[in-house]
Amino acid sequence: MELSTSPSIWAYGSVWLFFSLLVYFKFSHSDMVLTPALLVYFFLLVLFEWFCHLYLPILLGMVLLSSACFYVLSITSPRKLLPVAGKAVLITGCDSGFGKAAAQRLDELGFKVIATVLDLESPGGKDLRKNCSDRLTIIQMDLTKPEDIKRAQQITKEKTRENGLWALVNNAGYCAHFGDAELSLMSTYRGCMEVNFFGTLEITKALLPMLRSSKGRIVTVSSPAGEHSFPFLAAYGSSKAALSRVMDTFRHELMPWGVKVSVIQPGSYKTGAHDDKSHWERQHKKLLSNLPNELLQEYGEEYISETQNLFFEYGKTACTDFSPVIDSITDAILSENPKVKYYAGKQLWLLYFIGIYLPSSISDNFFKSLFLKGKIMPRALRKQKNTE
């Protein structure tokens, strides 16, 4: 018995010794602080080592324990931030929401901010001019217009001639309809793709030579709707899925150039036209006037109207504190080693855990409880039910 356990003790002891030396090194360089979370992680490592010692071959156990130790070190160490001085960043979609808040935060930190807005005279644009420093430049840009993107590219070159462009924050986004995929107009699908995918891709490609030169950053605000099939968000979710995929491709391809690419996945926040009831009423009227009559009869106007009302009710629970998203954007721009993905929002981890790891029977019911709360069935289904 002693012969069989002795090699195991020495093997795991060597892992613990190396881990202890790394912890001591980080403490001595003020790169780590003792927190309750660190103590909890240490206790979990002890339990994991006990499991490996009892049930796994020595070599496999050493590899897994070493990996767990390095993971704990990575998540408990404060992230090293780069200096702000001389750095310029372009942010799209700064009329309101995340873009406006990010422009204000980065301006306060000392960045040279180039903020794009759809309307120079929008309340958000006026507020940025009033409250930010003279380092901030506001540009009118519509991502669906190549001439606007080209003009923004030229202005950015001029404004960053001295130190170059450090970061691009792709924030601008568009959601035109909340409803069944079959009822969503093709113009809605194309509209979401034009802004969220093609427009964002075009501005990224336009600024990439500058970002490659500075070995800078690309930070893109995507959406969990691009990773999970949320009911009623087919057009928006599809465009965000395409956006996340192309950004991940850029991440791989730009590694040799020193450009780091991150994607922000926010939770539910009140942004953009979320509270603009007149905007959604116009979209609703446009939908009803363009639906084929047969389809309108199958679903019924009362069902379509209830779906829109559910969207407003769901929006009332959305968060108004943008700080988790803005903190993530800031970290992605300044961290020496930014994360590939940032999940910004309360309980967002639960959504991903249920959507990815649990059986579809459970995850489907979970998403149904979030979105499919309507009491009115489509008209054709009601008729079928009544005849049964």
Side-chain angles (χ1 to χ4, degrees), residues 21 25 56-57 69 76 80 90 115 117 136 189 231 275 287 304 313 317 325 350 381:
L21 290 173
F25 178 79
L56 298 179
C69 289
T76 56
K80 294 180 180 179
L90 184 141
V117 295
L136 183 133
Y189 285 98
D275 291 327
L287 173 65
I304 299 171
E313 290 300 316
T317 65
V325 179
L350 179 62
L381 291 180

Side-chain angles (χ1 to χ4, degrees), residues 175-180 183-185 188 232-233 236 280 283 287:
C175 180
H177 175 63
F178 182 81
D180 296 66
L183 296 175
S184 299
L185 303 175
T188 298
F232 303 140
L233 286 172
Y236 178 75
W280 295 105
Q283 296 297 326
L287 173 65

Side-chain angles (χ1 to χ4, degrees), residues 101-360:
Q104 291 174 320
R105 168 78 68 84
L106 297 179
D107 178 73
E108 291 170 1
L109 291 175
F111 280 92
K112 178 183 285 187
V113 176
I114 302 171
T116 77
V117 295
L118 267 177
D119 182 4
L120 291 172
E121 297 305 314
S122 66
K126 291 180 179 178
D127 192 46
L128 287 176
R129 283 195 292 270
K130 178 181 177 182
N131 296 313
C132 293
S133 71
D134 56 7
R135 293 188 305 274
L136 183 133
T137 301
I138 298 182
I139 303 174
Q140 189 281 324
M141 185 181 72
D142 184 337
L143 281 175
T144 66
K145 297 180 178 178
E147 61 272 19
D148 282 11
I149 293 175
K150 189 171 183 179
R151 185 177 68 251
Q153 178 193 41
Q154 289 302 120
I155 294 174
T156 303
K157 280 183 179 179
E158 295 168 6
K159 293 290 181 179
T160 63
R161 196 178 302 278
E162 186 176 349
N163 294 313
L165 178 67
W166 171 250
L168 163 65
V169 179
N170 288 313
N171 165 73
Y174 176 68
C175 180
H177 175 63
F178 182 81
D180 296 66
E182 186 180 12
L183 296 175
S184 299
L185 303 175
M186 289 307 299
S187 60
T188 298
Y189 285 98
R190 292 189 179 98
C192 286
M193 289 297 293
E194 283 296 332
V195 176
N196 301 339
F197 179 71
F198 290 115
T200 301
L201 175 60
E202 189 166 357
I203 187 66
T204 301
K205 286 169 60 68
L207 299 182
L208 255 179
M210 286 179 269
L211 294 168
R212 285 192 286 102
S213 178
S214 65
K215 299 184 186 299
R217 306 289 167 84
I218 300 173
V219 183
T220 301
V221 179
S222 188
S223 169
E227 298 191 355
H228 301 282
S229 302
F230 294 157
F232 303 140
L233 286 172
Y236 178 75
S238 298
S239 65
K240 287 295 188 177
L243 176 64
S244 295
R245 179 57 57 89
V246 77
M247 287 300 157
D248 206 40
T249 302
F250 273 133
R251 181 175 64 85
H252 289 293
E253 295 173 350
L254 294 174
M255 281 181 186
W257 297 90
V259 177
K260 296 181 178 179
V261 181
S262 299
V263 172
I264 314 292
Q265 301 285 9
S268 178
Y269 291 89
K270 288 187 178 181
T271 60
H274 207 293
D275 291 327
D276 187 355
K277 199 162 186 177
S278 61
H279 166 79
W280 295 105
E281 286 176 350
R282 289 194 299 271
Q283 296 297 326
H284 182 62
K285 290 178 181 177
K286 178 182 176 182
L287 173 65
L288 293 178
S289 62
N290 285 277
L291 276 179
N293 186 62
E294 182 181 353
L295 198 57
L296 184 58
Q297 293 302 316
E298 288 279 314
Y299 279 87
E301 186 174 338
E302 64 281 4
Y303 170 82
I304 299 171
S305 297
E306 187 195 38
T307 303
Q308 179 178 256
N309 292 333
L310 285 173
F311 172 75
F312 286 120
E313 290 300 316
Y314 181 75
K316 291 178 181 178
T317 65
C319 185
T320 57
D321 177 16
F322 297 159
S323 56
V325 179
I326 308 308
D327 290 343
S328 297
I329 292 173
T330 305
D331 187 84
I333 292 172
L334 280 179
S335 177
E336 191 175 80
N337 291 296
K339 299 177 183 178
V340 173
K341 288 185 180 180
Y342 290 81
Y343 300 98
K346 293 181 180 179
Q347 283 82 51
L348 196 59
W349 66 271
L350 179 62
L351 184 150
Y352 275 84
F353 177 79
I354 293 174
I356 295 174
Y357 296 107
L358 296 187
S360 58

